[in-house]
Amino acid sequence: MATIIAPSILSADFAHLADEVKKVVDAGAEYIHIDVMDGSFVPEITIGAGVVRSLRKVTDAVLDVHLMVEHPETQIESFAAAGADIITFHVEATRHAHRVIQKIHELGCKAGVALNPGTSLSAIEELVEESDMILIMTVNPGYGGQKFIESQLGKIHMLYHMIDEMETTCDIEVDGGINAETSVDVREAGANVLVAGSAVYGAADVAKAIKDIRGKEIVHHHHHHDDEEDEDEL
């Protein structure tokens, strides 16, 4: 699976958002990651559906909306109407994750489910087949510029095998402390959608930063096929 780069506008200059989006898309980014924070699920308040609506008018890039909000089910419709392509919500923020996924799909968007570093994969085991994307947070959400949490690599790897064994397709997105170095590890673990904030927007050469984070293609070997081959040899 080709790696998709999703620069986070959390690290962009909010006074020139249209230019900042154009800059990273021209530099090779496929997605624009939009961090929506409500000041309750996470301490900070960022941006709402109105900003997504404005950005939709100025870009054809995939708008990857990450809802770090309580009661995401109350926000889905406004973000879908604003032009989001993917809406990701946190499994910790709702009691009815399955229903939220259905609602996102009914509104014509792709559905993502996000997990905080302290949340186990068991929380989403029943949701993987319904989801288009699982987002593994590699920092505790709330603000940009944090250090990558190494322990999440095992979780990405386990999720990759979980998806493989279910014989379903589901993107694995990672968000938090992603740069040219950490990118190698998360891609080897199985992630294919990489969110990067300061590593892209803080770079002198944005196109080079995106290219470096994208890195070289990694070939993954699927486990259940290997098992079958082993049986043939017996």
Side-chain angles (χ1 to χ4, degrees), residues 43-55:
E44 297 281 323
I45 294 174
T46 54
I47 57 180
V51 175
V52 175
R53 194 175 309 114
S54 303
L55 291 179

Side-chain angles (χ1 to χ4, degrees), residues 110-133:
K110 285 188 169 182
V113 183
L115 293 179
N116 283 334
T119 305
S120 149
L121 284 180
S122 59
I124 53 122
E125 211 164 327
E126 303 296 328
L127 306 172
V128 169
E129 298 204 49
E130 302 289 325
S131 306
D132 300 292
M133 186 165 78

Side-chain angles (χ1 to χ4, degrees), residues 168-234:
T168 185
T169 52
C170 184
D171 287 328
I172 300 177
E173 183 171 47
V174 286
D175 180 1
I178 300 295
N179 55 36
E181 286 73 51
T182 54
S183 152
V184 178
D185 294 333
V186 298
R187 286 183 296 113
E188 277 178 355
N192 67 307
V193 183
L194 274 46
V195 178
S198 38
V200 169
Y201 278 108
D205 182 341
V206 172
K208 183 182 184 304
I210 287 174
K211 189 166 168 287
D212 291 346
I213 294 166
R214 196 186 301 281
K216 295 178 183 68
E217 188 118 8
I218 290 166
V219 179
H220 290 280
H221 300 289
H222 295 283
H223 270 195
H224 56 257
H225 304 311
D226 296 351
D227 297 344
E228 287 158 21
E229 283 162 23
D230 293 346
E231 283 160 22
D232 295 341
E233 285 162 18
L234 297 174

